[in-house]
Amino acid sequence: MLKLQDLTKAYRTDEVETTALNKVNININAGEFVAIMGPSGCGKSTLLNIVGMLDNPTSGAYIFLNEDVAGYPESKLAKIRKENIGFIFQSFNLIDELTVGENIELALLYHDDVSSKERKERVTAAMDKMGIAHRAKHMPSQLSGGQQQRVAIARAVVANPNMILADEPTGNLDSANGEEVMNLLTALNKEGTTIVMVTHSDHHAQYAQRTINLLDGQVVTENLRAAQ
Amino acid sequence: MYKNYVTTALRNLFKNKLYSAINILGLTVGLAAGLLIFLFVRWELSYDQWVPDGERIYRLHSTYEIPGRSPFRTVRSSGPMAENLPLSFPEIESIVRLNYISPTILHEGEAFNQQVTMVDPSFFDVFDLPMAEGTPEGALRDFSSILISESTRQRYFGDQPALGKTMVFCCLQGQTIDLKVTGVLKDIADNSHLDFQALILINKEAFRQSPWMFESWTSVNNHTFIKFRPGTDIAAFEAGLPAFIDEKIPPNPDAGVGKTSDFMKLSLMNLRDLHLRAGFQASDVGDIKPLGSMTSVIGFAATAILILIIASINFMNLSTARSSLRAREVSLRKVVGASKKQLVQQFLGESFIITAIAMILAIVAVELTLPWYNNFLNLELSLNLFTDPVLIPALVAAVTLLGAISGLYPAFNLSAFKPARILAANQSSASSKMGGLRTALVVVQFSVTVALLIITAVVYIQTEYAKSVELGFERENRLVLRGVRDGANADSRTAFVNEVRRLPEVRAAVLSSDVPTDNNENNNGFALAGDESARNYALNIISTDYGFMEAYGIDLLAGRDLSQEFGSDNIVLPPEEGVVQTVSALVNESAARHLGFSDPQAALGAILRSDVFEAGPIEHRIVGVIPDLQMRSVKYDARPTIYFRSEARLNDLTIVFDGGNAPALIDKIEAMWRENYPRTPFTYTFLNDLITGQYAEEDRQSTVFLFFTGLAILVASLGLFGLASFAIVQRTKEVGIRKVLGADIPDIVRLMLWQFSKPVLIANLIAWPVAWYLSQNWLEGFEQRISAFNPFIFAGATLAALLIAWITVGGHAIRVARSNPVHALRYE
């Protein structure tokens, strides 16, 4: 699916240079469920942003579906991103002014090849799948955290991405809702979606097939777990 | 405590430079516009306030309800009114006629055109005006006395006293008269409708041959001013006028059956209202000075208030939009014990400080723009802060009012924060949306802007239309000379006209009593032969030379022009005793219709009977019909008019020339003039300038409106700019989400622009009907006008408003669209 080779990301502010990622090499195969762990500031989010093509690496190669996208301009990245990648955030990042249905529909709105009728159908299907169909007309502020995250997941999957990037998807949820979200992600993975998840929770990392541990911008260990 | 407020206020101003600049700049522009308009409006309203007893002085206006055409309204009245009204109405304290003439003054071998007012001896009883030399009692003693103004004295005698000096009047009723200066009037202030440059007594004997001047009840050539006794009920006086008219004046046959008062109406207007209102009640036919317009005054005053409202809304919007940034300050102040009242005081204080800074800047801006503004309005307005007793209090009041209006809502809004929530949550209290109220206020701003845009466009287009409207005659390459008859004897006149006609570049030179743009109305009754109703049809008379229609390029609808080839095309004076002359005449289309002819051809050969111009009974045979000409401003419709040749009236010469070297031609004509008219100054105008000159006032109005509309747009855009920079920052998170989901930069920019397009579009819906209604009202003052419902104007205004909004918001939108979504989404 994707391959990071000697990937480095450095931030420069005036005279101080901070290296967030330092020659990282990672391979993720299609259909994998990978957890990324590490303490705060180890570069997890930076890594996820680069993998999600929201940020460019300073050096190194990022091979995504056999294309080196490391130097691509934003417009090209946006195109690859919207065709292949779905995002789930810790803080859900729903738009407060849009209803649940509209928030989910948003992910399809920027796909020109999806007709308005098909859009409606796919939104309804995604909501059904996440068990939030009865909330379609509600505003995000009327929902619990767990429900909001399910909306966010529905939004992430509605465009049928090959890969979902989840940035601490359970971080703002209680344990019951957290389990629920993990089960949904596992189910998506079973259907063939590649999932890359950043988490602080060892317990939730257990759901993944492989855990990559980062420290100070470098991969320190990779634990492979047998498929269940 | 107050020191702390001021410190906080000033620090906030400096900390948020963009917002402060927008606020102060917006208010400055608003206040400067307001001040400029205030100066103009105050000037216009100040007319004749200074005239002693002005509240008791009224002018008598006349209206003739002539059947078959629009009424003839005039600010003048007939001569005998002044002699007869006091006999019937004891409430009249004094009454005076003013009759303006322009004879020539010969002074040290040079000829000058001089405006002279002929007045009754009661002049000083009505107008108690101060004198620079002499006394009211000593002035205007007899027919050889002349009273002049200081400026007139300056013109002829320089700085020397003028009392007792002699002035030679040329050709008052054909004779040279020596007049002795018996007094000098102090110059009348510019803000007066009155204009006295030189005064002589009315000498009715000298006008025996011109009974219409002072003796006819139905000729209106005098401005009659009445001073009433204190406490007079003016309405009651006016109510008594119809009975007076019926008693004194026999019914006019043209009115058909009925009383004179059904046909002829009199009304009064106070001296102090004349400048702004005389144009409403009567047409401005022959008024003393150019009139102002109440419509302009109200329009400008409204514009000033609207610009201030826009500036004030900017302040409210930016303050409340920014409130989240100050939530912590407010909360902390509350925690340490500030009451809500104290906070309101603090924020109101800030609003006053900002308004006061803006006012100081506005005063500077006004001082800088005044010379230009004055030049444009042809006024001498000034901003005398320290000598003008009204200005400082007015400015303080304006700052207080505007500061309060702008500051009250934000003050209450800011001081209402709940400190516990804000401090605990460590968050802002503002919603990420542009607030509903803020949107509503933006809608108000843009409604005003769009309405002003539309109205300005309508005024501008109508003015351009008026200047280019089809007149029915040619206007290019035509030179007009006045006073051709009055200025010399018949031989010289004939010699001059013939010499001009012989010039190679002159295609025609025709005489007439009127040229286009003349506002005279010379109505007379005409009976149609064979018409059994024995009705008298009122027709306006214009005397024209042979070949006049051809020279003016007028295409006849039927018949022929007047021509020397026909012996019958001229009125012979004096008439032969006992002989009824038959003279050819042309009528215009309105007159033909008025006389009952369905088509122009049918009118040919018809005979009209009259006794005009002391020629005894005359039969006018209609030999031609011309279309209605747009002789006057498009404010007025065409009058039913008859054209015939009466030598004694042919005073204006129109010279049609081949385009090319006009100055050289004028030089040649001037030389010929000097030779034949040694006692009359040479003056000329181009017909085209006369016609466009009629719209000078509209031109000025439309440019001034354009200027103030521009300012309104500027202030509104400033506000939108500030609000957009804020509102778009608030949507950063949303933009981040959308970008993550695949939106590209154009998607985001479109989204942001749409957010601000919505209020602009709603504003258009509000502005359209209002602008349409106001434009329609304004346009009704013009007989010939553009349609107020012009889709191009409305669509253009909408597009302009959208473009303004897009340009204003675009920069912010692109910036936020280009930002990396990661920063927006990382933290919450």
Side-chain angles (χ1 to χ4, degrees):
Chain A
M1 184 92 210
L2 66 87
K3 194 184 280 182
L4 307 181
Q5 293 172 335
D6 288 343
L7 192 98
T8 299
K9 178 69 181 176
Y11 295 104
R12 252 176 232 99
T13 49
D14 292 337
E15 284 161 23
V16 187
E17 188 175 301
T18 321
T19 307
L21 292 175
N22 191 3
K23 300 202 168 175
V24 169
N25 287 290
I26 294 175
N27 275 315
I28 295 174
N29 297 318
E32 263 196 297
F33 186 158
V34 178
I36 298 174
M37 295 192 71
S40 286
C42 69
K44 299 188 301 283
S45 292
T46 305
L47 178 65
L48 205 64
N49 287 335
I50 289 173
V51 169
M53 300 178 203
L54 297 173
D55 211 347
N56 279 315
T58 312
S59 66
Y62 174 15
I63 317 288
F64 185 82
L65 294 175
N66 303 320
E67 255 183 284
D68 184 358
V69 300
Y72 275 19
E74 197 190 319
S75 57
K76 231 170 167 177
L77 290 177
K79 189 165 180 296
I80 299 173
R81 186 167 66 219
K82 76 179 169 191
E83 284 165 5
N84 295 291
I85 307 175
F87 289 85
I88 300 169
F89 303 92
Q90 177 180 359
S91 52
F92 325 136
N93 277 331
L94 301 176
I95 296 176
D96 303 336
E97 290 78 23
L98 300 180
T99 64
V100 165
E102 287 164 346
N103 261 293
I104 297 169
E105 192 183 4
L106 202 59
L108 292 174
L109 226 43
Y110 298 108
H111 290 252
D112 297 333
D113 54 340
V114 183
S115 73
S116 134
K117 182 164 164 280
E118 189 190 344
R119 221 160 51 217
K120 296 273 180 285
E121 287 166 2
R122 282 167 70 173
V123 169
T124 312
M127 287 193 295
D128 283 341
K129 201 162 160 187
M130 297 298 147
I132 46 171
H134 60 297
R135 296 289 196 178
K137 299 268 185 252
H138 288 206
M139 303 306 278
S141 58
Q142 295 167 297
L143 305 184
S144 72
Q147 287 168 325
Q148 288 193 40
Q149 194 60 300
R150 272 186 279 163
V151 175
I153 297 172
R155 184 179 62 185
V157 302
V158 73
N160 294 332
N162 299 320
M163 177 167 79
I164 286 180
L165 302 180
D167 192 354
E168 298 193 36
T170 56
N172 282 10
L173 300 177
D174 60 31
S175 60
N177 275 310
E179 292 303 320
E180 180 91 16
V181 165
M182 290 317 299
N183 288 331
L184 286 169
L185 289 180
T186 309
L188 287 169
N189 179 242
K190 287 233 163 75
E191 289 167 19
T193 310
T194 311
I195 293 180
V196 180
M197 174 181 75
V198 166
T199 183
H200 274 302
S201 155
D202 280 326
H203 174 62
H204 289 152
Q206 302 291 313
Y207 285 84
Q209 293 145 11
R210 181 154 64 110
T211 303
I212 299 171
N213 286 301
L214 284 183
L215 184 64
D216 294 340
Q218 287 179 306
V219 177
V220 285
T221 54
E222 289 196 37
N223 312 321
L224 191 64
R225 284 161 19 86
Q228 291 167 334
Chain B
M1 181 56 105
Y2 287 103
K3 191 171 160 232
N4 181 284
Y5 289 167
V6 172
T7 316
T8 323
L10 291 178
R11 280 191 191 147
N12 255 306
L13 273 181
F14 284 111
K15 197 171 114 197
N16 303 292
K17 288 193 186 67
L18 176 70
Y19 294 116
S20 306
I22 290 173
N23 261 336
I24 293 176
L25 187 60
L27 284 170
T28 302
V29 173
L31 284 168
L35 251 176
L36 285 173
I37 293 176
F38 167 79
L39 290 175
F40 169 74
V41 167
R42 185 167 70 143
W43 172 262
E44 289 293 294
L45 294 175
S46 72
Y47 266 66
D48 293 316
Q49 297 302 323
W50 56 274
V51 177
D53 301 325
E55 75 285 354
R56 297 195 275 135
I57 302 174
Y58 288 77
R59 186 168 68 181
L60 191 64
H61 293 168
S62 316
T63 301
Y64 292 85
E65 309 265 2
I66 302 171
R69 51 160 284 184
S70 51
F72 168 41
R73 299 172 192 282
T74 169
V75 295
R76 306 190 202 184
S77 46
S78 64
M81 293 290 173
E83 287 149 353
N84 289 278
L85 277 170
L87 305 177
S88 303
F89 296 95
E91 57 265 51
I92 293 178
E93 183 180 296
S94 51
I95 190 164
V96 67
R97 285 173 291 191
L98 311 178
N99 193 310
Y100 285 83
I101 53 174
S102 327
T104 303
I105 289 228
L106 301 175
H107 188 73
E108 293 175 353
E110 256 195 278
F112 296 87
N113 280 327
Q114 177 65 52
Q115 180 220 79
V116 173
T117 318
M118 298 189 286
V119 303
D120 288 307
S122 53
F123 177 79
F124 282 104
D125 298 336
V126 177
F127 298 111
D128 184 11
L129 300 176
M131 309 263 300
E133 285 184 55
T135 59
E137 297 73 32
L140 300 175
R141 265 183 314 226
D142 52 38
F143 296 136
S144 60
S145 301
I146 182 163
L147 176 62
I148 59 176
S149 69
E150 288 173 304
S151 314
T152 309
R153 176 178 68 184
Q154 184 68 33
R155 185 177 189 194
Y156 296 103
F157 307 107
D159 299 326
Q160 303 298 312
L163 206 60
K165 293 203 169 140
T166 303
M167 299 175 81
V168 182
F169 266 62
C170 171
C171 319
L172 193 62
Q173 293 297 306
Q175 287 177 322
T176 311
I177 305 166
D178 285 359
L179 292 169
K180 205 164 87 179
V181 178
T182 52
V184 178
L185 269 183
K186 288 210 158 150
D187 273 342
I188 286 176
D190 286 337
N191 54 346
S192 174
H193 187 62
L194 299 172
D195 187 16
F196 300 119
Q197 295 175 18
L199 302 172
I200 58 174
L201 282 182
I202 292 171
N203 183 355
K204 276 172 71 177
E205 283 308 311
F207 288 91
R208 267 285 112 89
Q209 299 305 310
S210 315
W212 59 87
M213 286 290 272
F214 301 109
E215 286 176 26
S216 160
W217 274 103
T218 49
S219 288
V220 280
N221 289 293
N222 298 280
H223 296 274
T224 307
F225 282 90
I226 304 173
K227 186 191 252 180
F228 288 96
R229 294 188 197 285
T232 299
D233 180 350
I234 299 299
F237 173 83
E238 279 186 303
L241 286 171
F244 169 82
I245 292 169
D246 288 331
E247 183 199 328
K248 300 288 180 191
I249 312 167
N252 185 307
D254 193 41
V257 286
K259 301 174 291 184
T260 308
S261 58
D262 293 337
F263 167 75
M264 178 182 180
K265 320 263 188 206
L266 295 175
S267 59
L268 289 175
M269 186 174 280
N270 187 268
L271 172 65
R272 289 170 180 173
D273 292 334
L274 291 181
H275 175 65
L276 289 177
R277 296 189 186 276
F280 278 106
Q281 188 171 332
S283 75
D284 54 0
V285 173
D287 216 324
I288 299 171
K289 278 171 76 172
L291 293 166
S293 136
M294 204 62 185
T295 314
S296 290
V297 168
I298 292 170
F300 285 133
T303 308
I305 291 168
L306 291 174
I307 294 176
L308 285 174
I309 288 175
I310 293 177
S312 174
I313 286 178
N314 279 355
F315 187 94
M316 288 187 231
N317 270 348
L318 293 179
S319 308
T320 52
R322 267 178 54 223
S323 61
S324 59
L325 305 174
R326 299 192 65 179
R328 304 192 118 252
E329 180 200 331
V330 173
S331 305
L332 281 168
R333 280 182 190 275
K334 280 196 169 178
V335 167
V336 298
S339 70
K340 189 170 171 179
K341 191 177 149 209
Q342 285 169 318
L343 287 167
V344 168
Q345 278 172 357
Q346 180 196 340
F347 290 118
L348 266 183
E350 286 183 17
S351 150
F352 288 136
I353 289 174
I354 289 179
T355 316
I357 294 174
M359 180 59 95
I360 291 165
L361 293 174
I363 291 170
V364 174
V366 168
E367 288 288 4
L368 293 176
T369 44
L370 254 184
W372 170 85
Y373 189 62
N374 273 331
N375 186 31
F376 190 75
L377 291 172
N378 204 11
L379 292 175
E380 281 171 39
L381 304 175
S382 58
L383 194 66
N384 300 316
L385 279 183
F386 302 106
T387 52
D388 190 328
V390 184
L391 222 41
I392 293 268
L395 296 186
V396 170
V399 168
T400 312
L401 191 68
L402 196 66
I405 290 173
S406 308
L408 267 179
Y409 171 70
F412 279 99
N413 176 293
L414 276 169
S415 58
F417 289 142
K418 297 273 176 291
R421 196 165 64 83
I422 285 161
L423 293 176
N426 190 19
Q427 65 172 22
S428 72
S429 81
S431 112
S432 65
K433 227 178 166 183
M434 187 162 80
L437 180 78
R438 258 172 264 151
T439 310
L441 289 174
V442 169
V443 168
V444 170
Q445 289 184 310
F446 270 80
S447 304
V448 170
T449 309
V450 171
L452 283 174
L453 264 174
I454 293 175
I455 293 170
T456 306
V458 167
V459 170
Y460 179 79
I461 294 172
Q462 167 68 23
T463 307
E464 291 306 305
Y465 167 79
K467 283 190 280 189
S468 65
V469 77
E470 196 55 55
L471 301 167
F473 57 85
E474 305 270 343
R475 58 199 278 183
E476 303 290 341
N477 293 336
R478 277 159 177 79
L479 204 59
V480 173
L481 308 187
R482 307 278 196 174
V484 176
R485 182 187 157 74
D486 294 346
N489 60 33
D491 291 345
S492 303
R493 176 170 72 248
T494 314
F496 172 71
V497 173
N498 285 336
E499 278 173 44
V500 169
R501 282 179 178 150
R502 277 199 294 274
L503 285 169
E505 54 272 69
V506 169
R507 280 195 270 158
V510 286
L511 291 155
S512 56
S513 61
D514 297 73
V515 293
T517 72
D518 280 353
N519 264 327
N520 304 321
E521 283 227 35
N522 190 358
N523 289 299
N524 209 297
F526 291 83
L528 188 58
D531 176 17
E532 290 177 3
S533 71
R535 201 178 140 190
N536 245 346
Y537 295 91
L539 299 178
N540 180 44
I541 300 170
I542 294 181
S543 295
T544 52
D545 204 354
Y546 306 121
F548 180 88
M549 302 303 162
E550 197 197 332
Y552 266 84
I554 297 163
D555 294 322
L556 272 71
L557 298 174
R560 62 168 179 86
D561 199 353
L562 299 179
S563 164
Q564 204 152 11
E565 293 167 27
F566 300 85
S568 58
D569 282 9
N570 182 38
I571 293 180
V572 179
L573 283 176
E576 221 175 300
E577 199 68 43
V579 175
V580 176
Q581 297 190 53
T582 303
V583 186
S584 303
L586 286 83
V587 292
N588 66 3
E589 219 179 343
S590 297
R593 250 198 323 274
H594 186 39
L595 294 166
F597 297 108
S598 50
D599 76 297
Q601 208 68 39
L604 295 181
I607 301 283
L608 293 167
R609 296 204 175 90
S610 81
D611 52 359
V612 287
F613 304 155
E614 304 76 51
I618 296 183
E619 289 192 339
H620 306 266
R621 180 191 300 278
I622 298 179
V623 300
V625 179
I626 63 165
D628 285 346
L629 309 178
Q630 193 67 50
M631 289 285 278
R632 300 180 296 163
S633 153
V634 296
K635 283 179 196 161
Y636 310 113
D637 57 356
R639 299 168 289 205
T641 305
I642 184 165
Y643 304 83
F644 52 79
R645 189 172 192 278
S646 171
E647 178 100 36
R649 298 298 169 123
L650 300 177
N651 203 20
D652 298 338
L653 183 68
T654 306
I655 300 167
V656 187
F657 59 94
D658 292 319
N661 197 348
L665 173 66
I666 291 166
D667 284 346
K668 287 188 213 172
I669 296 172
E670 180 169 6
M672 296 172 180
W673 178 275
R674 287 197 180 284
E675 198 177 307
N676 293 294
Y677 293 77
R679 294 197 296 194
T680 312
F682 176 73
T683 52
Y684 68 92
T685 36
F686 289 101
L687 183 63
N688 219 348
D689 294 343
L690 282 176
I691 289 164
T692 44
Q694 297 179 107
Y695 305 107
E697 177 63 24
E698 279 84 7
D699 256 343
R700 250 202 307 276
Q701 271 179 24
S702 84
T703 311
V704 175
F705 265 120
L706 205 63
F707 173 66
F708 286 115
T709 301
L711 290 186
I713 292 172
L714 175 69
V715 178
S717 315
L718 275 175
L720 196 66
F721 182 82
L723 202 55
S725 78
F726 181 83
I728 285 178
V729 167
Q730 294 286 76
R731 287 182 77 171
T732 306
K733 175 187 135 191
E734 180 192 335
V735 168
I737 296 167
R738 286 180 185 270
K739 285 188 81 171
V740 163
L741 291 173
D744 53 17
I745 292 176
D747 286 330
I748 299 296
V749 172
R750 261 199 302 277
L751 180 79
M752 294 292 133
L753 292 187
W754 175 238
Q755 178 189 1
F756 287 93
S757 302
K758 269 185 292 184
V760 171
L761 289 173
I762 296 169
N764 270 283
L765 294 182
I766 296 169
W768 283 358
V770 176
W772 176 82
Y773 176 78
L774 294 173
S775 309
Q776 184 63 36
N777 262 356
W778 182 78
L779 284 170
E780 266 161 22
F782 298 88
E783 277 296 326
Q784 294 223 39
R785 54 187 179 240
I786 57 168
S787 160
F789 189 76
N790 180 338
F792 287 108
I793 296 179
F794 285 80
T798 307
L799 202 63
L802 277 177
L803 276 177
I804 290 163
W806 290 343
I807 291 168
T808 310
V809 175
H812 297 307
I814 290 170
R815 208 181 59 222
V816 74
R818 290 170 66 121
S819 65
N820 192 326
V822 172
H823 305 301
L825 301 179
R826 182 176 286 162
Y827 306 106
E828 172 77 345

